[in-house]
Amino acid sequence: MRSRTQARGWRWRRNPLRRRSDVVEAWTFVVVAVLLFVVAPLTGVAAGLRAHGTAEGHARTQRAERHAVRAVVLGRTDEQLPLVRDDRRHPYRAEVRWSEPGTGSRTAAARVPAGTRADDVVTVWFDGRGRNVSPPPDAVAVWQHAVSIGLCAAGGAAGTVLAAHAVQRRVALRHRLDEWEREWALTGPRWSRPLT
């Protein structure tokens, strides 16, 4: 049992077989482990929280600028609109009518959900200029954005650490092979002399 423990920690103890490159490799392993298991997740959390704050501010601004109205669909056109990144659930345009206090009845073209028919009541969103817009992102969309940014940041940090570790190991191996070559140049002639 003791020899197995000694074999595992040989890079940390003084012994005649340990080289400087072995110590560097042992410390590099510790640094990589800390970077992978502490720094990369913290990077993801920090990026996710920052993205959440930014997305929440953007959503708050949109909620202040946009307003929803309950409108009656007068008639839907059957042409499908090009999909918009923000609003994939409302792929059709239809004429809608709604009433606003003080202004009376208004009519406009708006995006409506698939399957909407005439006389259906739908919720449509408009901005301050009266243009039909997509609804502002809800809390779920904000958190999805934050989590995806956090995961990408953590994955990117972990990938960078692993790539740097691979480069370091390649350089260390080349350095170790050069050390062995120099030492063999000194030791080799003694071993290869013919016996007389």
Side-chain angles (χ1 to χ4, degrees):
M1 187 69 128
R2 182 180 161 104
S3 63
R4 188 181 305 163
T5 304
Q6 287 177 347
R8 274 193 208 140
W10 69 273
R11 287 186 173 107
W12 296 104
R13 288 188 303 279
R14 294 193 182 275
N15 66 62
L17 298 177
R18 184 180 78 168
R19 300 174 190 273
R20 190 180 114 145
S21 60
D22 297 325
V23 175
V24 169
E25 188 174 350
W27 279 107
T28 301
F29 179 78
V30 170
V31 169
V32 166
V34 168
L35 289 173
L36 280 179
F37 297 113
V38 177
V39 175
L42 288 177
T43 301
V45 168
L49 290 175
R50 181 174 173 88
H52 181 270
T54 302
E56 183 61 37
H58 183 65
R60 204 175 305 120
T61 301
Q62 284 188 356
R63 282 198 272 312
E65 293 173 349
R66 300 174 182 190
H67 64 280
V69 296
R70 298 286 291 162
V72 176
V73 176
L74 300 177
R76 192 187 88 190
T77 62
D78 286 332
E79 70 174 283
Q80 185 168 0
L81 298 171
L83 291 179
V84 178
R85 180 178 59 91
D86 293 338
D87 198 7
R88 298 184 198 288
R89 296 169 301 205
H90 297 82
Y92 295 98
R93 184 177 299 278
E95 288 292 320
V96 296
R97 180 184 305 142
W98 72 97
S99 297
E100 288 184 1
T103 61
S105 181
R106 294 188 56 187
T107 304
R111 287 181 176 268
V112 295
T116 303
R117 292 184 225 135
D119 296 328
D120 285 351
V121 177
V122 295
T123 301
V124 291
W125 289 81
F126 292 96
D127 64 7
R129 296 181 190 166
R131 294 179 302 189
N132 179 232
V133 292
S134 60
D138 58 358
V140 172
V142 169
W143 275 109
Q144 285 174 338
H145 173 73
V147 168
S148 62
I149 293 294
L151 288 174
C152 288
T160 302
V161 167
L162 292 174
H165 182 58
V167 169
Q168 182 274 331
R169 286 195 47 114
R170 185 176 211 96
V171 169
L173 178 63
R174 185 172 297 153
H175 181 68
R176 187 176 297 129
L177 291 174
D178 288 345
E179 279 182 347
W180 287 346
E181 192 66 37
R182 283 193 302 272
E183 289 183 20
W184 182 251
L186 298 174
T187 309
R190 286 187 276 167
W191 285 70
S192 58
R193 267 190 263 167
L195 294 173
T196 54

